[in-house]
């Protein structure tokens, strides 16, 4: 059953539940796949780790980045794992939906390398394992550690000197170069950052409306340059393409489970199926041609 489930996820079926996955994989009845997902003995974390190594080996490149973003799975009922009535960015309104943050590796082609966990811990951990920088877009009220306590990021950015802002392009968009003013600061370390890495705060300011500022918490090798970290922040715009491909092609949101462990298993297997498609697109010339590119005045924050 271990190979039948991802085989079914890759099949061109409309709804990828146990019944249709069984038919697509040539298995009689859904009982075997349901047992595999719910009661059989295997560890989804181990599969996740192997998946991450597979993607990093096949797709890693010098300009690869790690993107942390969230997606929503709209559900009609409230019995699925993690579902509750809450605002969903997918629907633009309150719906029955679980929403979790998910790291994604962006290389020559895109593939997801980690499942939902707590964002601050998993983003740094996944960045070290993947060997690439990551930017996590945060709200203005997000706080970070400083010398005398925690401070809001909008307060820190509001105190940035004029010469801390630099005009840099975040890459090509639908209307040409996406040029913004950027301020980048190194956040203080309190012994919790591995040697050779840095935790930084990045702010993006609109040229048309200086009050329109976006904030990013970043974790990356200390050798990363301003242009590189801006490119990492700019790479976030393609994350929805990755999520949508995993939903449309691999049934990421087609799960029908009631508890967390089967949910983790389904998500990990859908990630595996999507990674297979991404690696195939990157290594097979014919497949690649069809792939869519997708408060105190004293502070330890140091503006670059």
């Amino acid at each position: 059953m271990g190979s039948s489930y991802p085989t079914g996820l890759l099949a061109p079926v409309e709804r990828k539940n146990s019944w249709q996955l069984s038919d697509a994989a040539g298995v009689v009845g859904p009982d075997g796949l349901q047992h595999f997902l719910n009661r059989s003995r295997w560890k989804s974390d181990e599969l996740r780790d192997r998946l991450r190594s597979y993607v990093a080996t096949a797709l890693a490149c010098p300009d690869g980045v790690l993107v942390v973003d969230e997606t929503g799975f709209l559900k009609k009922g409230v019995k699925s794992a993690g579902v509750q009535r809450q605002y969903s960015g997918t629907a633009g309104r309150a719906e029955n939906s679980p929403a979790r943050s998910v790291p994604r590796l962006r290389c020559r082609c895109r593939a997801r390398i980690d499942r939902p966990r707590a964002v601050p811990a998993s983003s740094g951990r996944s960045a070290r394992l993947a060997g690439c920088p990551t930017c996590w877009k945060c709200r203005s009220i997000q706080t970070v550690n400083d010398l005398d306590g925690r401070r809001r990021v909008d307060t820190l950015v509001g105190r940035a000197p004029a010469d801390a802002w630099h005009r840099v392009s975040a890459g090509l968009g639908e209307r040409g170069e996406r040029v913004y003013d950027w301020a980048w600061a190194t956040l203080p370390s309190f012994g919790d950052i591995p040697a050779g890495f840095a935790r930084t705060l990045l702010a993006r300011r609109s040229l048309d409306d200086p009050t329109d500022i976006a904030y990013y918490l970043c974790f990356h090798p200390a050798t990363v340059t301003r242009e590189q970290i801006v490119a990492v922040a700019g790479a976030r715009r393609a994350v929805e393409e990755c999520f949508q491909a995993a939903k449309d092609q691999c049934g990421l949101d087609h799960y029908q489970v009631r508890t967390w462990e089967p949910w983790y298993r389904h998500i990990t297997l859908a990630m595996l199926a999507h990674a297979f498609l991404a690696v195939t697109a990157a290594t097979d010339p014919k497949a690649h041609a069809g792939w869519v590119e997708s408060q105190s005045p004293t502070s330890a924050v140091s503006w670059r």
Side-chain angles (χ1 to χ4, degrees):
M1 291 301 168
S3 61
S4 297
Y5 201 93
T7 298
L9 291 175
L10 290 168
V13 296
E14 182 179 0
R15 290 296 302 170
K16 298 187 177 180
N17 53 39
S18 295
W19 284 95
Q20 295 199 22
L21 292 182
S22 300
D23 290 341
V27 178
V28 179
D31 294 348
L33 290 186
Q34 290 174 352
H35 174 80
F36 171 73
L37 204 62
N38 288 275
R39 297 179 296 277
S40 61
R41 292 189 178 184
W42 61 280
K43 296 181 179 180
S44 56
D45 284 354
E46 291 184 1
L47 177 60
R48 185 273 320 275
D49 293 343
R50 293 190 180 188
L51 165 64
R52 182 159 42 205
S53 298
Y54 168 62
V55 170
T57 300
L59 299 181
C61 55
D63 60 348
V65 301
L66 186 76
V67 178
V68 181
D69 202 2
E70 67 179 21
T71 188
F73 306 141
L74 300 183
K75 294 294 181 181
K76 294 182 179 179
V78 295
K79 301 298 184 181
S80 295
V83 169
Q84 63 180 5
R85 191 76 175 176
Q86 59 187 324
Y87 177 81
S88 169
T90 303
R93 59 183 183 275
E95 289 284 356
N96 294 334
S97 169
R100 296 292 186 270
S101 296
V102 184
R104 175 183 68 85
L105 183 66
R106 183 181 188 275
C107 301
R108 289 173 292 173
C109 288
R110 299 185 294 274
R112 298 171 61 242
I113 63 169
D114 205 352
R115 298 187 262 93
R117 294 291 188 189
V119 174
S122 66
S123 58
R125 174 175 173 268
S126 296
R128 293 196 298 273
L129 291 173
C132 55
T134 179
C135 284
W136 171 41
K137 190 174 183 180
C138 61
R139 300 169 63 188
S140 61
I141 61 173
Q142 174 69 39
T143 60
V144 295
N145 288 324
D146 205 349
L147 288 179
D148 55 355
R150 297 188 65 84
R151 299 168 183 260
R152 285 175 47 148
V153 294
D154 58 349
T155 299
L156 293 172
V157 171
R159 293 175 179 173
D163 59 4
W165 294 94
H166 299 263
R167 193 153 296 179
V168 183
S169 170
L172 283 172
E174 295 180 357
R175 301 181 180 179
E177 294 287 342
R178 294 176 292 136
V179 179
Y180 299 91
D181 286 334
W182 300 82
W184 188 31
T186 301
L187 298 175
S189 170
F190 298 96
D192 59 340
I193 300 177
F197 283 82
R199 183 182 293 126
T200 59
L201 170 63
L202 182 69
R204 185 196 69 200
R205 187 175 65 188
S206 169
L207 302 185
D208 299 327
D209 181 6
T211 64
D212 181 8
I213 301 177
Y215 308 91
Y216 303 84
L217 293 180
C218 310
F219 184 87
H220 51 78
T223 55
V224 165
T225 65
R226 184 187 310 277
E227 289 71 22
Q228 289 174 323
I229 202 65
V230 168
V232 171
R236 289 189 70 261
R237 66 191 300 269
V239 68
E240 285 303 324
E241 296 177 12
C242 182
F243 283 134
Q244 198 59 50
K247 292 176 181 179
D248 293 343
Q249 301 171 14
C250 306
L252 180 69
D253 57 344
H254 291 190
Y255 61 88
Q256 294 180 338
V257 295
R258 299 293 184 258
T259 57
W260 282 113
E261 185 56 33
W263 186 85
Y264 282 129
R265 290 178 172 184
H266 171 84
I267 296 296
T268 306
L269 290 163
M271 288 166 49
L272 175 62
H274 184 253
F276 171 78
L277 294 178
V279 171
T280 301
T283 56
D284 185 322
K286 293 183 179 180
H288 181 72
W291 183 262
V292 180
E293 286 292 356
S294 35
Q295 312 304 329
S296 163
T298 302
S299 174
V301 172
S302 174
W303 295 98
R304 301 187 175 208

